[in-house]
C-alpha cells in the first residue's frame, strides 16, 4: 500500500498587480524604484502579477522581468496583452493567467480608467487585488476593487427591528439593518454589519475570521461588538462615541471605535 | 370579518388582564360584538376582573376537548351588551391548549363576533404562544421600567416570527399600551418616559394609562375600570378604544398634575 505523497488544494492569495501602461526602460525603472522606496518592507520579495495593458516585444518583456527581480520583486504570473509573448513567458517560468475569470472585466475597467486618467504621469501603479486598508501607498492612486463581480453576494437586508432574543446571521455577506437592534438581540455576519438605527444588542462581524470586517451604526449603545473573534463589552464601548454614529474596526489586533461624520 | 387581537406582554403583573377587560368592554360599549378569552389556563383571573367568577360552569378547555359547546361556555356580561367572556380552566395546565383546538374555537367565534380579544398569560411559553398565534393585531402592555420593556421587546420578536401571520409572510399589527404611568415619577427620573419606551420598542402608541387607585378598586369589585368614567385610568382606556377603532384622539395624562394645597392635604394620587 502506498502512502499519499501530496495533496492538491485550491487557495486564494492577495498579491500586487503591476499594471504596465507604458514601457520606456529608464523612465519605468526610475518610477518603480521610487515607488518601492516609499514602502520597501511592503514591496520587497512580494509576489507580483504583471498586467500588460499594451503589447510588449519579447526583449522589452525580458527587460521588465529582469528589472523587477533586480528590485527584489517576484513576478509570478502575467496577464493582459500577452498573445505574442507565450514562448518567453514559458522560458522565464511564469504563468499566463490571462484566462482567469476576473481578468477580462478587471482589464476592461482598468483600461477605460487608464484612458480617462487625468494624471498621465502615473504610468505605473500597484494594485492590491483584495483591497486592504494596510496598503502603504499613501500618495498612490486609490486601489480599484478588481475583485470578481460574481463573488459578490448581495447583503442581507433586514428592515424590521431586531428584537430581544432574536438572532440574525448573514452568511457569506454583509448585513444591513434599517432599524434598531434591541438589547438581548444578536446580529452576526461574515462581512460587515450596518445598523441604521440604535445598536443596543450584540454585533459580531467577520465571524469567520475576516479582519477587515467592520461594524457601522447610527447610534452606538452596544452590549458587545466583535470583529473576527476579538470583542469588547458594553463598558469598553462607552466612550466618546457613546450613543453617536460610529464604526468599529480592527487595527493591528486591537478594536478601534471611531466616530462617523 | 372578526378581528383577533392578543393582549400580551411577556412580563407578568403589568396589566394584561385589566387591559383585556377594559378594552373588550369599551369595544362592546361602542356597539361591537366582542368576546374576551382567558388564555391563562390554570390561573384564571379574567372572570374575577370581569366580575363573573360565580357564573363559570364550563371553560375554554372544556370547549377545546368538546366536553361543552361554545354556547354553554360563553358567559354573557351582565353590565354590557354585546360582551361575552370565555373563561380559562383552573384545573388544567397550558398543555391543554393545542393549535387545532384553539383554531376550531376561534373559527367558530369568528362567525358571530366583531372582535376576539385574547388575554395572554405571562411568559413566552406554550400558553402565551397559543394566545398570539392566530392574532391579527397585538396590544403589547408595557410598564415604564426596563425589565418590562425588555420582555415586551422579546414578545414582539416572537409575534413577528412565530405567529400564523408571520409564517405566511404577513405581519401582525402592533400597538403599544403603556400602563401604570406615573408622570411625577417620570419627572424625577424614577420611571422611563413615554418617549424612552417608544424609542426602544419602535411601535405605534395606542395609549398611556396613568397609575391609579381606581384600577385596583375596579379589579376588586369585579368591574372593568373603563366603566369608571370619573377615573383617569378609565378615561385613558376609553381613548385607547377609540384609537383602536381608528379615531384620532390626543394622548392625555402625560404630564404631572399640579396639585393644589387642599388636594395634597386630602391625598389621592
Amino acid at each position: 500500500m502506498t502512502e499519499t505523497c501530496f495533496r492538491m488544494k485550491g487557495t486564494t492569495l492577495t498579491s500586487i498587480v503591476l499594471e504596465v501602461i507604458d514601457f520606456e526602460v529608464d523612465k519605468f525603472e526610475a518610477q518603480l524604484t521610487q515607488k518601492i522606496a516609499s514602502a520597501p518592507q511592503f514591496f520587497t520579495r512580494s509576489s507580483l502579477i504583471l498586467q500588460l495593458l499594451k503589447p510588449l516585444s519579447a526583449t522589452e518583456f525580458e527587460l521588465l522581468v529582469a528589472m523587477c527581480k533586480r528590485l527584489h520583486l517576484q513576478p509570478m504570473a502575467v496577464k493582459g496583452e500577452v498573445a505574442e509573448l507565450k514562448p518567453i513567458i514559458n522560458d522565464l517560468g511564469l504563468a499566463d493567467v490571462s484566462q482567469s475569470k476576473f481578468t477580462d472585466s478587471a482589464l476592461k475597467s482598468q483600461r477605460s480608467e487608464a484612458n480617462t486618467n487625468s494624471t498621465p504621469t502615473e504610468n505605473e501603479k500597484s494594485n492590491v487585488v483584495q483591497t486592504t486598508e494596510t496598503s502603504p501607498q499613501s500618495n498612490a492612486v486609490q486601489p480599484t476593487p478588481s475583485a470578481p463581480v460574481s463573488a459578490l453576494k448581495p447583503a442581507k437586508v433586514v428592515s424590521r427591528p431586531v428584537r430581544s432574543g432574536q438572532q440574525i446571521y448573514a452568511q457569506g455577506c454583509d448585513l444591513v439593518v434599517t432599524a434598531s437592534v434591541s438589547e438581548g438581540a444578536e446580529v452576526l455576519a461574515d462581512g460587515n454589519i450596518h445598523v441604521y438605527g440604535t445598536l443596543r444588542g450584540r454585533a459580531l462581524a467577520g465571524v469567520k475570521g475576516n479582519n477587515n470586517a467592520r461594524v457601522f451604526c447610527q447610534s452606538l449603545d452596544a452590549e458587545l461588538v466583535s470583529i473576527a473573534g476579538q470583542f469588547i463589552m458594553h463598558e469598553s464601548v462607552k466612550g466618546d462615541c457613546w450613543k453617536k454614529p460610529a464604526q468599529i474596526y480592527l487595527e493591528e489586533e486591537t478594536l478601534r471605535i471611531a466616530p462617523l461624520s | 370579518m372578526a378581528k383577533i387581537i392578543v393582549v400580551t406582554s411577556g412580563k407578568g403583573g403589568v396589566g394584561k388582564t385589566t387591559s383585556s377587560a377594559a378594552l373588550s368592554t369599551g369595544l362592546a360599549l361602542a356597539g361591537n360584538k366582542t368576546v374576551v378569552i382567558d388564555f391563562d389556563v390554570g390561573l384564571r383571573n379574567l372572570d374575577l376582573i370581569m366580575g363573573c367568577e360565580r357564573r363559570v360552569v364550563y371553560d375554554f378547555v372544556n370547549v377545546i376537548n368538546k366536553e361543552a359547546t361554545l354556547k354553554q361556555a360563553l358567559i354573557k356580561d351582565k353590565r354590557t351588551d354585546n360582551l361575552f367572556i370565555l373563561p380559562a380552566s383552573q384545573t388544567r395546565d397550558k398543555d391543554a391548549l393545542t393549535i387545532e383546538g384553539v383554531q376550531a374555537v376561534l373559527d367558530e367565534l369568528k362567525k358571530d363576533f366583531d372582535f376576539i380579544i385574547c388575554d395572554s398569560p405571562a411568559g413566552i411559553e406554550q400558553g402565551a404562544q397559543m394566545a398570539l398565534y392566530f392574532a391579527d393585531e397585538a396590544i403589547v402592555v408595557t410598564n415604564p421600567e426596563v425589565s418590562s420593556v425588555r420582555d415586551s421587546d422579546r414578545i414582539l420578536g416572537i409575534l413577528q416570527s412565530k405567529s400564523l401571520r408571520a409564517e405566511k409572510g404577513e405581519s401582525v399589527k402592533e400597538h403599544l399600551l403603556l400602563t401604570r404611568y406615573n408622570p411625577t415619577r417620570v419627572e424625577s427620573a424614577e420611571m422611563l418616559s413615554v418617549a424612552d419606551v417608544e424609542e426602544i420598542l419602535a411601535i405605534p402608541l395606542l395609549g398611556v394609562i396613568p397609575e391609579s387607585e381606581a384600577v385596583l378598586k375596579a379589579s376588586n369589585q369585579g368591574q372593568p375600570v373603563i366603566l369608571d368614567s370619573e377615573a383617569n385610568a378609565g378615561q385613558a382606556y376609553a381613548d385607547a378604544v377609540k384609537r383602536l377603532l381608528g379615531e384620532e384622539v390626543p394622548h392625555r395624562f402625560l404630564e404631572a398634575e399640579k396639585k393644589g394645597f387642599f388636594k395634597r392635604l386630602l391625598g389621592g394620587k
Side-chain angles (χ1 to χ4, degrees):
Chain A
M1 207 170 97
T2 53
E3 278 188 34
T4 317
C5 296
F6 61 86
R7 257 179 286 183
M8 294 281 210
K9 280 183 165 181
T11 183
T12 317
L13 86 163
T14 307
S15 76
I16 297 170
V17 175
L18 179 68
E19 280 188 10
V20 182
I21 300 165
D22 192 21
F23 190 71
E24 271 177 56
V25 185
D26 293 341
K27 201 170 154 195
F28 196 93
E29 181 156 5
Q31 289 186 11
L32 189 57
T33 311
Q34 195 193 347
K35 169 60 71 184
I36 290 168
S38 71
Q41 296 232 309
F42 181 75
F43 286 111
T44 302
R45 263 179 281 283
S46 47
S47 56
L48 200 68
I49 295 174
L50 299 171
Q51 177 155 21
L52 307 182
L53 295 189
K54 77 170 205 184
L56 298 185
S57 72
T59 330
E60 282 175 319
F61 185 72
E62 251 180 305
L63 277 171
L64 173 66
V65 174
M67 186 194 296
C68 290
K69 288 185 171 163
R70 199 162 59 242
L71 295 170
H72 304 293
L73 297 171
Q74 298 268 307
M76 60 169 186
V78 192
K79 60 180 185 166
E81 303 288 342
V82 297
E84 308 294 311
L85 300 170
K86 296 240 158 104
I88 189 152
I89 289 172
N90 276 336
D91 287 352
L92 291 171
L94 299 173
D96 176 7
V97 292
S98 313
Q99 302 307 315
S100 304
K101 265 186 265 165
F102 63 94
T103 309
D104 285 348
S105 60
L107 200 59
K108 252 180 237 159
S109 69
Q110 275 150 22
R111 246 191 208 153
S112 61
E113 196 179 280
N115 290 340
T116 56
N117 205 332
S118 55
T119 52
T121 51
E122 282 173 314
N123 55 1
E124 169 275 320
K125 80 178 167 188
S126 67
N127 186 1
V128 179
V129 176
Q130 289 171 5
T131 315
T132 57
E133 293 287 333
T134 50
S135 160
Q137 37 184 323
S138 50
N139 57 353
V141 181
Q142 282 291 311
T144 35
S146 50
V149 175
S150 55
L152 257 183
K153 209 177 145 191
K156 183 176 180 129
V157 180
V158 176
S159 48
R160 299 196 68 93
V162 186
R163 304 287 185 184
S164 173
Q166 287 184 315
Q167 192 186 47
I168 291 179
Y169 175 36
Q171 195 174 11
C173 61
D174 285 1
L175 175 64
V176 179
V177 182
T178 61
S180 292
V181 176
S182 293
E183 235 178 298
E186 195 167 77
V187 286
L188 307 100
D190 290 341
N192 304 307
I193 296 176
H194 302 255
V195 179
Y196 298 100
T198 305
L199 173 59
R200 297 191 181 89
R202 299 160 164 247
L204 298 92
V207 288
K208 291 217 180 118
N210 178 4
N211 288 323
N212 296 316
R214 292 182 179 214
V215 173
F216 305 86
C217 60
Q218 214 158 55
S219 176
L220 179 65
D221 192 358
E223 280 179 88
L224 177 147
V225 179
S226 155
I227 312 270
Q230 298 254 29
F231 68 90
I232 43 172
M233 300 292 294
H234 185 265
E235 284 308 311
S236 340
V237 176
K238 278 187 175 176
D240 294 343
C241 297
W242 188 243
K243 298 198 174 175
K244 290 197 183 112
Q247 61 166 325
I248 297 99
Y249 57 95
L250 259 189
E251 194 179 78
E252 287 163 4
E253 307 283 296
T254 312
L255 279 183
R256 301 261 178 229
I257 305 175
L260 286 174
S261 81
Chain B
M1 185 65 195
K3 215 178 245 179
I4 303 176
I5 303 178
V6 62
V7 178
T8 185
S9 71
K11 192 167 160 49
V14 294
K16 283 180 298 296
T17 303
T18 301
S19 298
S20 299
L23 295 172
S24 54
T25 304
L27 288 167
L29 285 172
N32 302 288
K33 200 166 179 204
T34 306
V35 57
V36 52
I37 307 175
D38 191 351
F39 272 80
D40 205 349
V41 178
L43 289 174
R44 209 183 101 183
N45 284 159
L46 181 69
D47 50 313
L48 284 171
I49 307 244
M50 297 293 291
C52 62
E53 73 275 16
R54 297 189 188 279
R55 295 164 61 209
V56 175
V57 181
Y58 295 107
D59 58 50
F60 191 19
V61 175
N62 292 140
V63 181
I64 287 176
N65 293 341
K66 301 206 164 62
E67 293 150 5
T69 64
L70 200 50
K71 214 175 168 185
Q72 286 174 307
L74 282 175
I75 302 172
K76 190 179 180 318
D77 191 86
K78 275 193 174 160
R79 290 169 296 252
T80 316
D81 285 341
N82 301 320
L83 182 58
F84 292 81
I85 299 116
L86 185 55
S89 167
Q90 213 165 3
T91 53
R92 310 291 285 267
D93 63 27
K94 271 136 191 121
D95 297 334
L97 300 177
T98 60
I99 288 212
E100 299 74 27
V102 173
Q103 183 168 28
V105 174
L106 290 176
D107 282 346
E108 206 177 331
L109 288 170
K110 271 190 195 171
K111 292 178 204 153
D112 286 332
F113 288 90
D114 301 316
F115 285 97
I116 302 169
I117 308 294
C118 304
D119 179 23
S120 170
I124 53 170
E125 286 81 27
Q126 168 90 350
Q129 292 197 16
M130 282 298 151
L132 65 78
Y133 186 73
F134 295 100
D136 300 310
E137 298 188 16
I139 295 173
V140 178
V141 183
T142 307
N143 286 170
E145 50 104 9
V146 284
S147 63
S148 173
V149 173
R150 165 84 67 94
D151 291 358
S152 294
D153 194 61
R154 183 87 169 87
I155 208 84
L156 282 164
I158 292 172
L159 268 167
Q160 300 307 348
S161 59
K162 291 190 177 163
S163 61
L164 178 63
R165 275 181 164 255
E167 284 170 8
K168 287 194 288 188
E170 299 164 16
S171 68
V172 178
K173 193 174 173 191
E174 304 153 329
H175 306 275
L176 172 63
L177 187 66
L178 203 54
T179 54
R180 298 204 166 161
Y181 195 71
N182 187 331
T184 318
R185 297 185 67 190
V186 171
E187 273 172 21
S188 56
E190 288 169 48
M191 243 183 205
L192 296 175
S193 71
V194 180
D196 292 338
V197 181
E198 273 188 295
E199 218 249 323
I200 297 173
L201 294 180
I203 59 170
L205 184 65
L206 179 70
V208 179
I209 313 298
E211 194 169 43
S212 162
E213 286 176 354
V215 174
L216 185 64
K217 192 177 104 192
S219 297
N220 285 333
Q221 291 177 346
Q223 182 166 316
V225 69
I226 198 170
L227 296 172
D228 185 351
S229 53
E230 299 283 303
N232 286 354
Q235 294 170 22
Y237 272 118
D239 287 356
V241 170
K242 285 182 190 164
R243 289 189 201 104
L244 199 55
L245 292 170
E247 215 176 300
E248 277 198 33
V249 186
H251 290 281
R252 293 193 274 174
F253 316 116
L254 303 184
E255 305 291 328
E257 232 180 292
K258 299 280 174 279
K259 281 183 190 166
F261 175 71
F262 281 106
K263 212 170 177 187
R264 239 183 290 173
L265 254 189
L266 296 170
K269 283 180 188 171

